[in-house]
Amino acid sequence: MNQYDPKSIEKKWQNKWQETKAFEAINDSSKPKYYALVEFPYPSGDGLHVGHVRGYTAMDIIARKRRAEGFNVLYPMGWDAFGLPAENYAIKTGTAPSITTRENIEVYKKQIISLGLSFDWSREINTTDPEYYKWTQWLFLQFLKHDLAYKAKVVINWCPKDKIGLANEEVVAGCCERCGTAVEKKEKEQWMLAITKYADKLDKDLDTVDYLPQIKLQQKNWIGRSEGAEIIFKVLAGSLELEAVVFTTRPETIFGATYIALAPEHKMVSKFLDGDEYKIENIEEVQTYIHDVRNRTDIERTSEGKEKTGVELKGIVAINPATQKKIPVFVADYVLPHYGTGVIMAVPAHDERDFEFAKKYNLLIKQVVENPNGETVLPYTEDGIIINSEGFAWANGLLSKDAAIEIIEEFEHLKIGKKKVTFKLRDWVFSRQRYWGEPIPVIHCQKCGIVPVPEKDLPVTLPIVDHYLPTDNGESPLSEIDSWVNVPCPSCNEPAKRETDVMPNWAGSSWYFLRYCDPQNDEAFASKEALAQHMPVNWYNGGMEHTTLHLLYSRFWNKFLFDIGLVPTSEPYTKRTSHGLILAEGGEKMSKSKGNVVNPDSLVKLYGADTLRVYEMFMGPFDQPVAWSTESLIGPRRFLDRIWRAAQKIRLESDKTSDPEIVSLLQKTIQKVSDDIESMSFNTVVSTLMMFQNAVEKSKQLSKEDYITFLQLLSPLAPHITEELFEMLGGKGSISYAPWPISDMCKVFVTSLKMVVQVNGKTRTVLDIAVDEEESAVLALVRALPETTKWLGDSEIKKVIFVKNKLINFVL
Ligand code: ANZ
Ligand code: ZN
């Protein structure tokens, strides 16, 4: 065998790894544990994408290095298989999603295996397998038991075309993420998960994990913690006296609050509109306005460019609790119903939106903060010095930050306000009126209300249906299967009905990393022992697009399970990194509609998986987006060809020792490759290895051992060719488990050093010279320096003291 033939050797090693169970993690190992995780794919009809290969190969390199370092590595793979594409395909063709899913998984699995990724296939999971979703349902019942799952009438984003409720994040620029139809608002009963109860922990505990800074920041912004105060404003409506509670992050500006504004959806507004007790003067105007605002998105309502609108509730006034002055009450679009209290105290002098609004409606603008560094231009939104706060004269002159603390205390004392922390995060709409999801395991009984399906009856499996479209009133197609829906109540045995909503496609992935620890367990979602052995995940790499949803959802589930004593750590992932997108050749996004998606299969056939892997690691900095170039695969392929040839030569005629330059360079290569793998600087790993191969080709002598060490460094990137050559050169066992090389910096061969140049014992400069340079050569170097004449002047040189490799001293 003399030609490098990836086709045959890649198959050979893939079979061998499988036969020897080379990559199976052990549940009771004495080795230290290491859990490496990548996001499991949705098995779409399009097959694997070169973007998948980038992330999977990167973690594969980490996993392989850890095995070589002596860890018991868990690197699992599975299928996140509930989701809309299979369901939409079923609506179109009538093919059951379970069938399409099975077929797609088969394709994906073959593709992934062909890449030589070292996944532990004995732990493969599939979120649509009833044995898996039994536990997703069981976990839902734990949320229900602990009052974290509840039903509520909520205004949901509604896609009139797909007939489906959408999560906020599924709405892109006001349109349905899937079909592009303009999204409407609709009120509907939904199952909710109370993720907001964990908002504070999800925020604070980010300090305890090692995530890339931009990932932490995105999570923080999404959670949106705000510290401020709630303050009570009296509202006078004729003879009625009501209270409106505002949320503000700037309580120290209270003396500048010249109106209050309610969200159009606020309860108090509807009370004014249809209550008999009090009717506002301009009821029709307000009604029309509210109707107009209804279908505007939050972004349209609040973004900077958009004009803010509102209408005054005529005949009603509020009392500013600090000034005791009567101020107008507005309904305004820029006040959102589901943030803070849905009511604001407006301070036009110090808030952009309020300023704009006050100008438009001719409202009082009263300055209460002064710029300490110069002229104050309104609206002045920075911190500064408090002025014009007569009622709390002691506050005048304080810095706004300090005044805020004191003023809150005063409010608490007067019982008109209190300190308050608010979050942007909303509870999670957890039901979908669809088919291809986990049925929510509850039964509705006229007498008993919501009754959980007893554990022994789990899983509630999906029935066979003959059509997949939601009903016209937007209910799940499950609602039309009478034999499935009608069941006796588990509690009173009277006729009752199953819940027909299913879970969103985020459910299965919220806990899959736990199931990998113990995937065949049919008594628990995972045993305590297995979880203790493998959790937490040591390193999780995935897409940046999953930072705010999947990552947050799964942290929430894990934290809840930790609190009820079912998992060993509060945080599921110790470390999180993200890879940059792979773009199409022209730099555009790869997409099916543009027809520019690159499928790895043909590349594996043509060049081999090792070449594809090395190319994807070499193509650019790992965390940056990078454009694909099929042409460029030839470079990595030639690199592997050269390695193949070099190894054949060494097999026939290897030397006992290598050139000193090789010995030295190898140590530096070990160091650099080891470090760069840890920092995911894979492109420099490849270039460092290429430099070593260049040196090998120039060398006079090369030992087999040194070349094997080099192959070990390459093996996480190109596992097949290195296994083959390792075997060929007489390596013992598998290169995948050969101990990772450790650099010995003592062997590093120094090629240059610094020599001190002195005149009469005083240091004048430092010269770079070659090791062991002779006196005459150094003298010639020094004389060539332009400064030398200045140092030596006209004096005669009495003596030259030369200490090899250290210094040269002219005595005048
Ligand atoms: C008075 C004030 C004075 C405010 C001032 C700001 C500046 P963040 O930081 O994002 O939490 N606000 C409160 N609830 C709102 C809602 N439901 N819809 C729209 N705006 C709302 O923003 C908090 C600030 O946003 C609050 O502080 C409130 O305006 C406004 F010089 O109160 B502020
Ligand atoms: Zn009942």
Side-chain angles (χ1 to χ4, degrees):
M1 198 213 288
N2 250 323
Q3 269 318 79
Y4 170 40
D5 174 23
K7 210 173 273 162
S8 64
I9 63 171
E10 290 183 354
K11 195 94 213 92
K12 167 183 161 187
W13 287 100
Q14 284 157 17
N15 290 339
K16 207 154 210 165
W17 292 329
Q18 197 185 3
E19 281 157 25
T20 58
K21 305 181 193 274
F23 306 126
E24 292 187 9
I26 293 163
N27 265 11
D28 54 351
S29 170
S30 56
K31 292 180 180 179
K33 72 105 182 169
Y34 200 89
Y35 190 168
L37 185 65
V38 287
E39 285 155 358
F40 59 161
Y42 174 75
S44 72
D46 312 330
L48 208 68
H49 177 286
V50 288
H52 291 115
V53 181
R54 197 179 196 194
Y56 298 167
T57 304
M59 266 335 272
D60 195 50
I61 292 168
I62 305 290
R64 285 176 178 274
K65 179 166 182 270
R66 289 291 181 276
R67 285 190 200 98
E69 288 168 335
F71 288 87
N72 173 34
V73 172
L74 171 56
Y75 186 42
M77 181 39 69
W79 316 106
D80 189 14
F82 278 127
L84 276 175
E87 179 154 352
N88 288 340
Y89 186 75
I91 290 171
K92 237 173 33 196
T93 64
T95 315
S98 57
I99 294 173
T100 340
T101 301
R102 203 183 313 127
E103 290 169 358
N104 292 347
I105 286 177
E106 221 168 278
V107 174
Y108 264 70
K109 187 166 177 181
K110 240 204 206 127
Q111 290 184 295
I112 291 179
I113 289 176
S114 81
L115 290 164
L117 296 161
S118 65
F119 291 122
D120 177 351
W121 288 107
S122 72
R123 292 169 188 262
E124 177 180 352
I125 57 177
N126 172 349
T127 55
T128 65
D129 179 349
E131 289 308 304
Y132 182 92
Y133 71 69
K134 166 180 176 177
W135 296 107
T136 311
Q137 292 173 334
W138 185 86
L139 291 167
F140 175 85
L141 293 180
Q142 308 314 301
F143 282 103
L144 189 63
K145 204 193 283 178
H146 290 84
D147 291 330
L148 290 168
Y150 63 98
K151 257 199 141 167
K153 232 192 174 124
V154 285
V155 178
I156 58 162
N157 304 301
W158 177 256
C159 172
K161 179 154 177 279
D162 284 343
K163 290 178 180 157
I164 185 177
L166 303 170
N168 278 340
E169 46 279 8
E170 292 170 311
V171 181
V172 177
C175 295
C176 172
E177 182 201 43
R178 321 188 160 77
C179 72
T181 308
V183 169
E184 294 171 2
K185 302 263 162 157
K186 180 168 172 163
E187 247 202 3
K188 202 158 172 58
E189 253 312 78
Q190 299 284 342
W191 280 98
M192 307 287 292
L193 284 192
I195 190 171
T196 54
K197 293 213 171 127
Y198 277 78
D200 203 31
K201 277 191 193 173
L202 288 167
D203 180 71
K204 279 214 182 80
D205 290 354
L206 284 172
D207 294 339
T208 69
V209 290
D210 175 18
Y211 292 1
L212 286 184
Q214 65 267 37
I215 297 178
K216 275 194 193 182
L217 185 69
Q218 273 198 23
Q219 287 228 341
K220 281 214 175 264
N221 289 344
W222 192 265
I223 298 166
R225 184 178 202 278
S226 266
E227 268 181 37
E230 280 183 0
I231 303 171
I232 303 170
F233 280 63
K234 284 207 176 95
V235 175
L236 308 180
S239 59
L240 282 185
E241 192 181 299
L242 309 161
E243 280 182 350
V245 181
V246 307
F247 171 71
T248 174
T249 48
R250 304 285 309 275
E252 75 279 14
T253 61
I254 181 91
F255 284 86
T258 54
Y259 66 97
I260 67 168
L262 304 159
E265 297 85 347
H266 196 276
K267 276 203 295 290
M268 192 182 278
V269 179
S270 43
K271 192 164 173 175
F272 289 144
L273 291 181
D274 37 61
D276 294 328
E277 296 163 288
Y278 189 83
K279 283 213 170 42
I280 48 177
E281 290 163 14
N282 54 341
I283 190 157
E284 268 170 32
E285 188 190 2
V286 176
Q287 258 159 351
T288 314
Y289 177 74
I290 290 172
H291 189 81
D292 287 349
V293 174
R294 248 186 56 148
N295 277 331
R296 284 184 218 162
T297 65
D298 289 2
I299 296 174
E300 281 169 341
R301 285 168 61 165
T302 54
S303 69
E304 259 180 38
K306 285 265 154 51
E307 188 180 319
K308 312 289 169 288
T309 65
V311 47
E312 188 179 348
L313 298 177
K314 295 255 171 69
I316 289 175
V317 290
I319 308 286
N320 179 323
T323 63
Q324 299 301 331
K325 291 216 167 85
K326 287 185 180 162
I327 56 175
V329 179
F330 277 79
V331 173
D333 62 350
Y334 73 97
V335 185
L336 299 177
H338 30 65
Y339 184 62
T341 57
V343 189
I344 64 160
M345 65 176 214
V347 184
H350 305 292
D351 180 275
E352 299 271 3
R353 292 178 292 185
D354 300 344
F355 184 77
E356 196 189 307
F357 195 87
K359 283 266 179 209
K360 183 171 169 189
Y361 295 101
N362 229 341
L363 302 164
L364 189 64
I365 299 172
K366 181 184 172 196
Q367 187 192 342
V368 293
V369 184
E370 198 171 55
N371 182 358
N373 307 312
E375 200 195 337
T376 310
V377 181
L378 296 184
Y380 177 74
T381 59
E382 310 281 298
D383 286 350
I385 309 287
I386 299 297
I387 57 169
N388 295 338
S389 299
E390 314 77 27
F392 296 172
W394 46 265
N396 285 330
L398 290 181
L399 283 172
S400 30
K401 281 254 172 326
D402 301 332
I405 296 169
E406 308 256 345
I407 286 180
I408 292 175
E409 260 174 36
E410 183 67 15
F411 284 156
E412 280 174 353
H413 177 71
L414 298 172
K415 299 202 164 48
I416 51 166
K418 60 173 197 277
K419 197 173 157 181
K420 175 78 188 178
V421 176
T422 293
F423 296 90
K424 294 240 155 63
L425 188 68
R426 301 271 64 89
D427 275 348
W428 175 8
V429 181
F430 199 69
S431 43
R432 300 287 185 273
Q433 291 70 47
R434 300 295 294 223
Y435 171 77
W436 192 227
E438 303 86 346
I440 289 180
V442 301
I443 290 165
H444 299 275
C445 168
Q446 292 258 314
K447 234 169 75 194
C448 313
I450 289 172
V451 184
V453 171
E455 235 170 83
K456 66 168 175 43
D457 296 336
L458 295 180
V460 177
T461 50
L462 282 168
I464 292 169
V465 299
D466 53 17
H467 67 93
Y468 299 90
L469 205 63
T471 66
D472 286 339
N473 56 1
E475 293 304 329
S476 159
L478 293 176
S479 65
E480 291 176 338
I481 314 294
D482 288 341
S483 60
W484 186 82
V485 171
N486 295 311
V487 285
C489 166
S491 153
C492 71
N493 224 18
E494 294 292 310
K497 283 189 188 305
R498 275 193 201 286
E499 170 65 59
T500 61
D501 282 1
V502 299
M503 300 184 201
N505 57 338
W506 305 103
S509 61
S510 293
W511 71 282
Y512 77 116
F513 49 93
L514 301 170
R515 187 64 177 170
Y516 281 139
C517 297
D518 198 9
Q520 271 97 40
N521 196 330
D522 56 12
E523 266 146 34
F525 67 94
S527 76
K528 287 228 154 110
E529 295 72 32
L531 291 169
Q533 167 72 249
H534 297 292
M535 285 299 289
V537 172
N538 294 76
W539 192 335
Y540 190 13
N541 184 73
M544 210 55 201
E545 71 277 19
H546 292 304
T547 301
T548 45
L549 306 175
H550 160 64
L551 207 59
L552 208 57
Y553 293 155
S554 54
R555 288 182 63 220
F556 162 49
W557 279 46
N558 193 81
K559 283 186 171 306
F560 164 63
L561 295 176
F562 175 72
D563 285 352
I564 60 172
L566 297 183
V567 300
T569 57
S570 173
E571 283 292 335
Y573 320 120
T574 307
K575 176 173 178 143
R576 167 80 180 188
T577 51
S578 271
H579 51 268
L581 272 185
I582 293 188
L583 306 169
E585 300 242 359
E588 301 178 289
K589 224 182 139 164
M590 277 193 191
S591 77
K592 211 172 136 189
S593 57
K594 291 207 187 87
N596 58 7
V597 178
V598 180
N599 181 305
D601 287 358
S602 56
L603 302 171
V604 170
K605 269 205 200 90
L606 198 58
Y607 295 101
D610 283 338
T611 295
L612 178 61
R613 292 170 62 118
V614 172
Y615 169 69
E616 292 216 13
M617 293 300 99
F618 190 46
M619 64 195 301
F622 184 66
D623 57 347
Q624 303 292 314
V626 59
W628 183 262
S629 162
T630 296
E631 213 171 59
S632 305
L633 261 88
I634 194 68
R637 173 57 199 258
R638 286 196 185 125
F639 171 52
L640 297 183
D641 278 330
R642 283 161 57 196
I643 289 170
W644 183 266
R645 283 197 298 273
Q648 305 305 314
K649 210 172 123 211
I650 291 163
R651 178 168 63 105
L652 300 174
E653 36 171 295
S654 83
D655 301 290
K656 288 222 162 50
T657 56
S658 304
D659 293 344
E661 287 82 2
I662 290 282
V663 174
S664 167
L665 183 62
L666 181 59
Q667 300 311 314
K668 285 203 243 175
T669 305
I670 294 172
Q671 184 80 45
K672 175 102 176 114
V673 167
S674 304
D675 290 351
D676 287 1
I677 287 178
E678 294 307 318
S679 61
M680 298 197 123
S681 178
F682 298 113
N683 53 336
T684 59
V685 168
V686 176
S687 58
T688 303
L689 292 168
M690 284 176 167
M691 268 154 61
F692 186 82
Q693 179 60 28
N694 289 346
V696 161
E697 284 163 17
K698 283 195 205 116
S699 69
K700 295 192 199 75
Q701 293 201 104
L702 181 68
S703 78
K704 200 189 272 179
E705 288 67 39
D706 285 350
Y707 204 66
I708 286 180
T709 302
F710 164 71
L711 292 176
Q712 279 182 265
L713 297 176
L714 174 65
S715 68
L717 287 86
H720 310 89
I721 186 176
T722 48
E723 285 277 21
E724 182 70 19
L725 297 178
F726 185 75
E727 184 184 66
M728 185 188 290
L729 296 179
K732 275 199 207 73
S734 159
I735 199 169
S736 304
Y737 281 89
W740 188 253
I742 294 174
S743 64
D744 177 354
M745 288 320 256
C746 295
K747 287 193 192 153
V748 171
F749 179 70
V750 184
T751 51
S752 80
L753 46 75
K754 307 267 181 213
M755 172 158 290
V756 174
V757 180
Q758 296 180 332
V759 178
N760 285 339
K762 213 171 139 199
T763 301
R764 293 296 185 177
T765 187
V766 178
L767 269 188
D768 279 317
I769 60 149
V771 174
D772 293 339
E773 200 81 273
E774 293 301 329
E775 178 172 350
S776 56
V778 176
L779 258 178
L781 271 175
V782 176
R783 290 213 183 278
L785 294 176
E787 309 93 302
T788 306
T789 25
K790 201 178 77 200
W791 297 331
L792 299 181
D794 300 330
S795 317
E796 182 196 342
I797 298 170
K798 289 202 181 113
K799 205 164 132 198
V800 175
I801 303 168
F802 181 77
V803 185
K804 204 176 196 177
N805 291 337
K806 288 227 160 65
L807 72 88
I808 185 163
N809 183 12
F810 297 91
V811 183
L812 306 182

